[in-house]
Amino acid sequence: MKKSQLTNLTLSIFILMAFVLAMSAMLFNGILDKVAKELQISISETGLLSSAYAYGAAIGVPILLILFRKMERTKALKIMLFTTIVATTWMILAPDFIQLLLARFMAGIAANSYGVLATATVADFSPKEKLGSALARLIMGSALAMVIGIPLTRFLSEIFSWRLDFAFLIFLMALSLVYFICFLPKSQPSEEEVDFRSELRFLKVKDVQFVLLSMFLFFFGYGGFYTFQTAYLIELTPSLFPLMSGLLVIFGLASFTGNHIGGVFADRIGYKKSLLIGSSLMAVLSLLIFILPKEPILLVLLIVLWQTAAWFTGIQMITGISVATDNKSSLMLSLNGSANQLGQAVGSSLAALVIPAMGISTIVFIPLAGSLLIHLFYILNRKQIQLSK
């Protein structure tokens, strides 16, 4: 596949699917309290719906992509998208909470396998000097889910069930699948692609280790706080409850802004420096959220800044793994995605244990710990991890 074959319409469909997958992954987070009430379970138990999705991605994606590694990329992409549709349909029809968790686990595997393949496809068409901006455009779909989708879901949850939201996502997935079947050309194997054994050698590269560990630690912290962010605000500042839909729009705009700025910084100063800057901001803001008074305006402002810093930082690891491997390793891309999802799963699971034991206000220490550990790893390995662009 030549770069010229990636039309603006095709890129738009990839962005649309990024929106859909972000909605599928994060939809429960914005309405956690309402889903808990509908299913008659606790807030911490409801958080397992996000954890199950993340565990599916973390465990299943590398295995699946290893099994499919010899399959033509766009064919595998279409199969994974179809499987995501099946899993999401099962989730809507699930008669009990156990089946709902299993469906979320399956959706996590399929949707994130598609996401890895989509990222690799878009990266193939992007010049190295513009890779950060190109991937930021792709992830823009996820940011739009934060700006539009999640807040709208919160608003409509007063009228419709969450199952209707997922039905609409299935409709968008089906449209995208039809487009890919009809118009997405087959990928052409790169002469520079490496075999599976050579891909494993990337694990010895210090830059790759830095990106993978940073991805896990960062999203460990992000998942630990963001999964319960809505419930956190409602419990600590109940006066904000009627404003939650509007606040989710503001948080989404912060995510969109952070993603865009992060892509620009990745191109200008490199992903490593940007990653360290972003994780430093995350640590400081997490500490401020805990120690400063829980005044509604101040708390909202801090979380807006926290969300901006989070998305500024997140794009660096996605850019970084492509740079560190020269976009030659689908296995490393999948491991990077797994580190993302495993981090979120472990972080949200830990938060679910911390909340009943120590109170919801303490979950901000999870992102603080993740950010500090990133810096500790860098300090211990700074001679091998060069900060050059």
Side-chain angles (χ1 to χ4, degrees):
M1 192 193 301
K2 298 179 181 179
K3 287 188 179 183
S4 59
Q5 291 176 308
L6 188 62
T7 65
N8 288 331
L9 179 57
T10 301
L11 182 57
S12 297
I13 297 297
F14 276 115
I15 293 172
L16 173 64
M17 277 303 305
F19 170 86
V20 170
L21 294 185
M23 283 291 297
S24 179
M26 299 185 294
L27 191 150
F28 285 118
N29 294 349
I31 55 173
L32 210 60
D33 54 315
K34 296 183 180 294
V35 175
K37 184 176 181 180
E38 179 180 335
L39 298 177
Q40 296 184 332
I41 56 178
S42 68
I43 289 286
S44 57
E45 286 177 311
T46 310
L48 293 176
L49 292 171
S50 296
S51 300
Y53 183 93
Y55 279 121
I59 298 170
V61 172
I63 296 172
L64 207 61
L65 291 181
I66 288 172
L67 294 175
F68 285 2
R69 68 184 184 276
K70 295 184 179 180
M71 182 181 293
E72 189 271 321
R73 180 179 289 164
T74 60
K75 181 179 180 181
L77 180 147
K78 296 165 193 173
I79 291 173
M80 289 300 99
L81 181 50
F82 175 76
T83 307
T84 305
I85 294 173
V86 173
T88 308
T89 303
W90 178 22
M91 190 174 66
I92 292 175
L93 301 176
D96 54 55
F97 187 62
I98 298 300
Q99 285 201 40
L100 184 55
L101 287 174
L102 291 173
R104 284 291 282 173
F105 184 85
M106 177 179 172
I109 297 174
N112 287 278
S113 295
Y114 162 86
V116 169
L117 295 167
T119 300
T121 300
V122 173
D124 278 342
F125 294 95
S126 305
K128 292 182 180 179
E129 65 275 11
K130 296 293 182 182
L131 183 59
S133 298
L135 292 178
R137 288 184 66 189
L138 176 62
I139 299 169
M140 181 176 65
S142 300
L144 286 173
M146 300 283 292
V147 176
I148 302 171
I150 305 300
L152 184 61
T153 298
R154 177 83 191 181
F155 176 76
L156 294 177
S157 66
E158 301 291 345
I159 307 171
F160 303 111
S161 168
W162 56 267
R163 290 180 173 84
L164 187 62
D165 297 324
F166 279 103
F168 179 66
L169 296 181
I170 290 173
F171 173 72
L172 294 179
M173 282 188 263
L175 288 181
S176 300
L177 179 59
V178 170
Y179 177 87
F180 286 147
I181 291 172
C182 295
F183 300 109
L184 187 63
K186 292 183 178 180
S187 61
Q188 298 298 323
S190 170
E191 294 180 359
E192 297 182 346
E193 283 188 357
V194 295
D195 60 30
F196 180 67
R197 290 184 179 179
S198 297
E199 286 193 271
L200 290 177
R201 296 192 186 105
F202 278 117
L203 290 173
K204 298 180 181 179
V205 177
K206 190 61 66 173
D207 282 5
V208 172
Q209 294 174 6
F210 178 57
V211 172
L212 292 176
L213 184 61
S214 296
M215 180 67 98
F216 173 80
L217 292 172
F218 171 77
F219 280 98
F220 162 77
Y222 183 79
F225 183 71
Y226 176 73
T227 300
F228 298 94
Q229 181 177 282
T230 302
Y232 177 92
L233 280 168
I234 291 173
E235 181 165 329
L236 297 183
T237 52
S239 61
L240 294 176
F241 179 78
L243 306 175
M244 195 54 61
S245 295
L247 290 177
L248 289 174
V249 173
I250 295 173
F251 298 152
L253 288 171
S255 304
F256 189 89
T257 302
N259 177 67
H260 173 72
I261 297 173
V264 173
F265 269 68
D267 288 338
R268 292 188 177 180
I269 67 173
Y271 75 88
K272 298 173 192 173
K273 291 180 182 178
S274 301
L275 170 57
L276 293 172
I277 291 171
S279 59
S280 297
L281 290 173
M282 289 282 288
V284 171
L285 289 166
S286 296
L287 187 59
L288 290 176
I289 288 172
F290 181 77
I291 64 177
L292 291 181
K294 302 302 182 287
E295 296 294 334
I297 295 177
L298 179 59
L299 185 57
V300 168
L301 176 61
L302 288 173
I303 291 180
V304 166
L305 294 174
W306 187 90
Q307 198 75 13
T308 304
W311 282 68
F312 174 95
T313 312
I315 184 66
Q316 309 310 327
M317 280 82 75
I318 297 171
T319 303
I321 200 65
S322 293
V323 172
T325 63
D326 201 21
N327 200 39
K328 294 178 182 178
S329 175
S330 294
L331 177 60
M332 293 303 107
L333 281 173
S334 69
L335 289 178
N336 203 44
S338 292
N340 175 329
Q341 296 296 333
L342 183 60
Q344 291 194 61
V346 174
S348 60
S349 298
L350 177 60
L353 295 174
V354 167
I355 289 171
M358 303 176 65
I360 199 168
S361 64
T362 59
I363 62 175
V364 292
F365 285 111
I366 300 176
L368 175 61
S371 295
L372 293 177
L373 288 172
I374 289 173
H375 281 270
L376 178 62
F377 180 81
Y378 169 72
I379 291 170
L380 294 176
N381 297 275
R382 60 184 179 275
K383 291 183 179 180
Q384 292 83 21
I385 303 172
Q386 300 297 321
L387 290 182
S388 60
K389 184 178 177 181

